[in-house]
Amino acid sequence: MAARQPFTDTDTADEAVRATCDDATTCKRFATSKGYWKDPYIQYFARSVGERKAPEINRGYYARVQGVNHLLDAFIKKAECDCQVINLGAGLDTTFWRLKDENLMPRKFFEVDFPTVVARKIHNIKTKPPLSKPIIETHSTDSLLLDAHSLDSDRYCIIGADLRDVSNLDEKLKKFQLNPELPTLLLSECVLVYMTPSQSSNLVHWAAETFHTAMFINYEQVNMSDRFGQVMIENLQRRQCTLAGVEACQSLDSQKERFLKTGWENADALDMMTVYSMLPQDDVARIERLEFLDERELLQQLLQHYSICWASKDKHNLGKTHLCNC
């Protein structure tokens, strides 16, 4: 029998990163329980609402979900659903089910994450009919593949892979009918920041090289060189969570540069305070009535340290979507 490999610092760091998946899911579950937005599927991935989250956290997640969804939905509508979506580091995300309910299903929706995270998600899907039924409804043949670390149907595919190994990622996606000729939207939320700059550059470059028409949406930290950013880094380090790619999170310009240096034609970025101010104000007024916010300055500080960056490379202007269209 092969000797067990020693446990390394990298294993500890990876485990801490995997734990952020649960953090995001429980925060989304709590925010939806308060009425910030509707997500009838998140309950199947987070067993309980959990402990109370601060109002600024809930509003931050609201801005994140609305901002990302706006760009994603606009791309799919421009492509008239004749496109594919790849959610990199998807965790327990429920976007596939939302898109099906809203008749915005792309040709195929791919998700990639660590094999252990994928195994949990697949187990939940297998044991929760409200999750499995929509997958079956969008599948037309008898060849639905389901094992511990992958699920492949006509319209939805989950793959266990390490995003730092681009050649293996490419091989696995193509095995499950990824089509480089289709307009493609790639999405990552608080994922690239946990990879070294060279690893994330390799991934972003692979995406630019692989697809003729593509858009990449990246949500993560920004303005990390000030005192508030340093406190964020220290808090994560206490949880053994190192932001290996924080170098690209110094400013909106450094976020855009990552894409412009790796083959993307256009890149835009906004901090989340700006995004929050651009969202439909009637809905913002609605969510602001849900909970009293004691310190608006804290919300501003928090949102100024996260951003959405979106890059495009295309012949059909599909990626030239602007958040000001909200």
Side-chain angles (χ1 to χ4, degrees):
M1 192 170 84
R4 182 179 169 82
Q5 292 298 306
F7 201 71
T8 67
D9 287 345
T10 304
D11 295 320
T12 305
D14 286 355
E15 188 57 44
V17 172
R18 286 191 284 269
T20 64
C21 160
D22 289 321
D23 291 344
T25 305
T26 55
C27 285
K28 287 178 179 178
R29 175 80 199 270
F30 185 84
T32 56
S33 77
K34 285 286 186 184
Y36 281 83
W37 71 93
K38 290 186 173 72
D39 185 345
Y41 301 100
I42 195 78
Q43 61 183 308
Y44 303 114
F45 294 110
R47 288 176 189 162
S48 67
V49 172
E51 63 186 35
R52 182 180 177 275
K53 304 294 185 291
E56 60 270 15
I57 300 295
N58 297 327
R59 292 190 193 184
Y61 270 93
Y62 166 81
R64 167 181 175 173
V65 168
Q66 301 306 315
V68 169
N69 285 354
H70 174 80
L71 288 170
L72 170 64
D73 295 1
F75 182 91
I76 293 171
K77 286 171 185 173
K78 280 192 175 185
E80 297 178 344
C81 296
D82 192 22
C83 59
Q84 59 197 356
V85 175
I86 308 171
N87 192 338
L88 301 165
L92 303 176
D93 184 74
T94 59
T95 300
F96 165 80
W97 291 274
R98 178 184 70 82
L99 293 176
K100 183 182 182 299
D101 286 349
E102 296 178 7
N103 293 314
L104 280 176
M105 273 295 296
R107 188 96 67 88
K108 193 156 185 176
F109 192 99
F110 295 86
E111 292 183 354
V112 185
D113 212 316
F114 284 117
T116 51
V117 174
V118 164
R120 280 180 57 201
K121 189 163 196 175
I122 289 173
H123 173 75
N124 284 21
I125 290 168
K126 282 163 64 176
T127 55
K128 307 281 193 314
L131 297 177
S132 56
K133 194 175 170 220
I135 297 169
I136 294 163
E137 286 171 354
T138 58
H139 189 70
S140 59
T141 67
D142 295 328
S143 59
L144 192 144
L145 170 78
L146 188 62
D147 61 35
H149 294 119
S150 52
L151 180 158
D152 186 45
S153 70
D154 288 351
R155 309 292 292 277
Y156 184 44
C157 178
I158 313 178
I159 299 165
D162 189 329
L163 298 174
R164 295 166 296 195
D165 185 345
V166 172
S167 60
N168 181 250
L169 171 68
D170 184 73
E171 183 184 317
K172 286 187 173 180
L173 283 166
K174 285 174 179 165
K175 176 186 167 187
F176 293 119
Q177 288 77 55
L178 179 79
N179 182 354
E181 303 303 315
L182 269 183
T184 301
L185 184 135
L186 300 104
L187 170 63
S188 65
E189 299 183 56
C190 294
V191 171
L192 303 185
V193 71
Y194 293 113
M195 303 162 71
T196 65
S198 64
Q199 289 166 343
S200 65
S201 288
N202 286 344
L203 180 62
V204 168
H205 181 252
W206 162 81
E209 289 287 295
T210 302
F211 307 105
H212 304 297
T213 301
M215 180 175 174
F216 200 122
I217 303 170
N218 181 45
Y219 169 89
E220 69 182 4
Q221 293 87 341
V222 76
N223 297 324
M224 294 299 280
S225 55
D226 67 13
R227 181 62 197 138
F228 192 89
Q230 289 305 305
V231 170
M232 287 171 67
I233 292 168
E234 288 161 13
N235 287 341
L236 284 161
Q237 283 175 338
R238 275 197 286 274
R239 296 168 52 190
Q240 310 284 295
C241 217
T242 302
L243 299 183
V246 76
E247 182 184 306
C249 302
Q250 299 308 303
S251 66
L252 294 175
D253 284 340
S254 66
Q255 285 285 2
K256 291 187 282 189
E257 276 300 303
R258 171 172 28 214
F259 291 94
L260 295 173
K261 284 180 175 174
T262 52
W264 294 84
E265 294 164 8
N266 305 287
D268 286 292
L270 295 172
D271 71 57
M272 294 308 295
M273 193 64 222
T274 305
V275 172
Y276 189 76
S277 70
M278 296 165 83
L279 294 173
Q281 289 304 293
D282 56 343
D283 200 51
V284 171
R286 177 191 66 79
I287 67 108
E288 288 187 344
R289 289 192 295 269
L290 294 174
E291 295 180 283
F292 175 71
L293 181 66
D294 193 28
E295 292 184 57
R296 189 168 176 88
E297 282 182 14
L298 184 56
L299 174 69
Q300 289 177 332
Q301 275 192 311
L302 185 66
L303 294 185
Q304 284 165 357
H305 286 82
Y306 284 91
S307 66
I308 293 180
C309 180
W310 64 103
S312 62
K313 171 185 180 281
D314 64 76
K315 293 175 272 189
H316 310 296
N317 291 335
L318 284 172
K320 290 185 180 174
T321 303
H322 292 275
L323 275 166
C324 55
N325 296 338
C326 286

